[in-house]
Amino acid sequence: MGQAAILTVDDDPSVSRAIARDLRRRYADRYRVVRASSGDEALEVLRELKLRGGRVAVMLADYRMPHMNGIEFLEQAMDLFPHARRALLTAYADTDAAIQAINVVDVDHYLLKPWDPPEEKLYPVLDALLDAWQATGDKELPDIRVVGHRWSEPSFRIRDFLARNLVPYRYFGADEPEGRRLLEAAEAGPEAVPLVVTADGKALSRPTVQQVAEAAGLATNPGRDFYDLIIVGGGPAGLGAAVYGGSEGLKTLLIERQAVGGQAGQSSRIENYLGFPDGISGAQLTDRARRQADKFAAETISTREVVGLRADGSARTLTFADGGEVSAHAIVLATGVSYRPLLAEGVADFTGSGVFYGSASTEGPACAGTDVYIVGGANSAGQAALFFSRYARTVTLLVRGDSLEASMSYYLIQQLAQVPNIEVRTRCEVIGAQGDGHLQAITICDNKAGNKTTVECGYLFVFIGAEPRTDWVGDTLLRDDKGFIRTGTDLLVNGERPRGWDRDRDPFYLESSVPGIFAAGDVRASSVKRVASAVGEGAMAVALVHRYLEAR
């Protein structure tokens, strides 16, 4: 394909020449520097590159251009080269526009003009953008192909895993021509589905999620036996701890069971997170946080389930489901919570084949023209309703309580009220599910009207309550009656420290009943269930880890 391109777009000829000159001076031996004088001209260049199989590493666009400003150009350019890194050129007076660009088109950086000297103000930014692009690669043509059945829980599990881990892939139904060709090439029959074909042509029949992760190039094994800090759980709290642990020089390992980002990573839009007035998707926020953790050399492994925890003298040891172990000076538990299962007749039979827990954004396009039902009344359910309303004919939110006010943010309630194809039904619950091979209908009990009705339903998304993932800690740590980990002053009873506490001090604020083991985010008793607070607790946990290490 030749050299990848760095594209600059600026309507001021002198600025355009200057930035192209500076870029060629530094990058001409590795990249092709292309410049355009308008958004329209730049789009033509991108279309030609696309047709020729070219690659684009970075796009830099000036904000103040006539006819099509930099943000408008980048919005259209993303459709052609979604993996190219994006930067906005702006004057000091355009800072607000730069912030808007970061939110609207996920701009990676903005550069203030003038950028003299480039060694300080231009090249470090471009180096970082190019490093990030090279790390993810130019994945316009996904390497992994998946052959599955539309209404198959194992097929859904693989598709959902790849999507949540931001791994590009192509999906083909087993009854589609390309799906049949792949099965034939693999000398496999229908019993081999789901089939995963890797980049080098290796066919994996009914693989485990860990096998899929390894095929996708995701790390699944720790690089060492002992760390300064191990974090269990890759949601906002875990990512916050990984970023701060790595940035402060701790040898840090992040262990994630499913996909980095947790429940927040599945959110279609987070609108109350500080610094993003126009909102940001959970996937975008997760991707940025993961890149930050990588930048600071925090190691991440996925598809590893932790099943045991113990104190070995000054070390803290975790046991994996396969019997392997890894140890550290300190541990932060950030395992979050999982959605409570809907215990209605027949529902369990359709998990992954019409019934989904969480947003399952991979199912959005498939919901086109259908009637979608969502169970739950908290923010996650409201965000899912807004997301699926883009595709579905109707979205019905089934809420067991009398109203949304007690469980959902005001701004989200207002947004739901403005979408014509969203209906909110209160004092309702699902009591049954029916179907032949996949979900086709649900039975709803209307506690307000006192009746039961059965309605056609192909998609049911469940967001009811949250349970902490802490059964595996057993009696090692003190938990409350719901399973949340008790920390800090919650461990003191009448001023007495917890039984077995061997330090001449009270537990630190986020410290559990075992010194050196901390809890952050939703898994912690009395925590505030918000993304911002989880990130803050992850960062705070690292500060407390330092205090613990200094006082050992």
Side-chain angles (χ1 to χ4, degrees):
M1 291 186 187
Q3 291 179 321
I6 299 174
L7 174 67
T8 71
V9 192
D10 200 305
D11 65 311
D12 186 326
S14 61
V15 174
S16 180
R17 286 193 298 269
I19 193 166
R21 178 200 64 219
D22 288 342
L23 291 174
R24 290 192 179 107
R25 184 182 301 160
R26 174 95 165 191
Y27 304 105
D29 60 329
R30 290 164 288 159
Y31 296 92
R32 176 187 172 195
V33 177
V34 180
R35 63 189 180 100
S37 60
S38 69
D40 289 328
E41 181 184 335
L43 289 173
E44 284 300 315
V45 170
L46 292 178
R47 291 188 189 103
E48 185 174 349
L49 284 170
K50 188 76 173 180
L51 289 173
R52 294 182 178 181
R55 298 171 297 157
V56 177
V58 175
M59 296 183 287
L60 300 95
D62 181 61
Y63 175 61
R64 291 189 179 278
M65 293 189 294
H67 309 302
M68 182 188 298
N69 67 34
I71 297 175
E72 293 167 340
F73 160 72
L74 290 173
E75 281 188 285
Q76 297 186 50
M78 286 169 62
D79 294 333
L80 294 167
F81 290 93
H83 298 287
R85 297 295 162 173
R86 299 175 285 277
L88 193 72
L89 293 168
T90 175
Y92 288 100
D94 293 329
T95 302
D96 289 341
I99 295 173
Q100 178 192 4
I102 291 172
N103 289 288
V104 174
V105 293
D106 196 24
V107 163
D108 297 287
H109 203 92
Y110 69 91
L111 285 161
L112 294 176
K113 298 187 290 185
W115 55 84
D116 291 328
E119 289 76 13
E120 294 180 12
K121 298 183 179 181
L122 177 63
Y123 297 150
V125 173
L126 262 293
D127 288 344
L129 293 176
L130 291 168
D131 286 345
W133 179 78
Q134 289 173 342
T136 58
D138 190 55
K139 300 173 181 175
E140 296 300 313
L141 296 176
D143 292 327
I144 293 179
R145 289 162 289 174
V146 180
V147 181
H149 292 301
R150 176 72 192 88
W151 299 111
S152 162
E153 193 277 333
S155 297
F156 166 74
R157 185 169 63 248
I158 289 174
R159 289 189 295 119
D160 188 60
F161 173 79
L162 292 171
R164 291 181 61 189
N165 281 280
L166 304 178
V167 177
Y169 71 97
R170 285 180 176 178
Y171 176 78
F172 304 97
D175 55 350
E176 297 176 7
E178 183 62 22
R180 289 195 295 267
R181 282 193 288 269
L182 287 170
L183 286 170
E184 183 179 348
E187 298 181 343
E191 72 282 353
V193 174
L195 180 78
V196 174
V197 182
T198 65
D200 58 3
K202 182 180 179 182
L204 306 176
S205 176
R206 302 181 66 84
T208 65
V209 170
Q210 186 168 356
Q211 288 174 321
V212 173
E214 291 169 352
L218 301 177
T220 58
N221 293 301
R224 60 177 72 221
D225 296 324
F226 197 90
Y227 293 83
D228 296 320
L229 171 65
I230 296 177
I231 303 150
V232 186
L239 286 167
V243 168
Y244 280 88
S247 68
E248 294 177 15
L250 298 177
K251 293 181 176 64
T252 302
L253 173 68
L254 174 66
I255 303 172
E256 171 51 46
R257 183 173 66 126
Q258 292 178 317
V260 173
Q263 287 186 14
Q266 292 180 280
S267 176
S268 58
R269 205 74 180 163
I270 301 171
E271 297 194 64
N272 56 356
Y273 190 69
L274 184 66
F276 294 90
D278 295 304
I280 184 172
S281 73
Q284 290 172 328
L285 188 63
T286 296
D287 182 48
R288 292 180 180 186
R290 178 164 46 187
R291 281 163 30 206
Q292 274 186 299
D294 290 343
K295 172 185 176 181
F296 293 120
E299 185 181 336
T300 300
I301 61 173
S302 62
T303 69
R304 297 304 297 270
E305 183 173 6
V306 178
V307 298
L309 171 68
R310 70 176 186 272
D312 289 332
S314 62
R316 303 294 178 256
T317 300
L318 296 166
T319 303
F320 295 118
D322 62 1
E325 293 186 342
V326 64
S327 301
H329 291 304
I331 289 174
V332 173
L333 302 181
T335 49
V337 293
S338 57
Y339 291 115
R340 189 174 298 120
L342 179 59
L343 302 177
E345 184 178 356
V347 168
D349 298 334
F350 303 111
T351 302
S353 58
V355 175
F356 305 94
Y357 288 88
S359 182
S361 58
T362 54
E363 301 303 299
C367 294
T370 67
D371 298 314
V372 168
Y373 287 81
I374 296 174
V375 181
N379 279 10
S380 53
Q383 289 161 351
L386 290 171
F387 172 74
F388 287 110
S389 69
R390 305 176 199 164
Y391 303 95
R393 178 172 55 193
T394 64
V395 176
T396 303
L397 201 59
L398 301 174
V399 184
R400 188 168 59 176
D402 293 328
S403 69
L404 292 172
E405 276 73 12
S407 55
M408 188 177 293
S409 296
Y410 176 75
Y411 80 90
L412 205 48
I413 296 174
Q414 296 300 106
Q415 288 185 15
L416 292 175
Q418 295 170 8
V419 181
N421 65 333
I422 294 179
E423 179 187 3
V424 178
R425 294 180 57 182
T426 58
R427 296 183 63 187
C428 289
E429 54 186 314
V430 175
I431 60 172
Q434 303 85 38
D436 182 10
H438 63 89
L439 181 68
Q440 294 173 307
I442 59 173
T443 301
I444 302 171
C445 178
D446 189 327
N447 296 316
K448 185 164 45 180
N451 57 33
K452 301 175 184 178
T453 56
T454 298
V455 298
E456 291 186 3
C457 175
Y459 295 90
L460 179 69
F461 298 91
V462 181
F463 301 83
I464 52 170
E467 298 177 332
R469 299 168 178 165
T470 58
D471 289 345
W472 59 275
V473 305
D475 297 328
T476 303
L477 304 181
L478 291 179
R479 298 176 287 162
D480 66 13
D481 55 358
K482 294 182 179 178
F484 292 93
I485 296 172
R486 295 170 58 190
T487 60
T489 55
D490 286 347
L491 293 167
L492 304 179
V493 179
N494 297 323
E496 295 292 323
R497 295 165 184 163
R499 181 179 301 175
W501 186 260
D502 62 358
R503 304 298 162 107
D504 188 23
R505 61 170 176 80
D506 290 345
F508 294 135
Y509 178 64
L510 300 178
E511 197 169 22
S512 72
S513 55
V514 174
I517 299 177
F518 300 81
D522 291 358
V523 74
R524 190 179 68 83
S526 304
S527 67
V528 178
K529 305 299 187 285
R530 289 291 183 269
V531 175
S533 62
V535 172
E537 287 194 4
M540 185 190 302
V542 173
L544 296 175
V545 164
H546 280 295
R547 290 179 61 185
Y548 166 77
L549 294 176
E550 291 167 358
R552 281 187 309 152

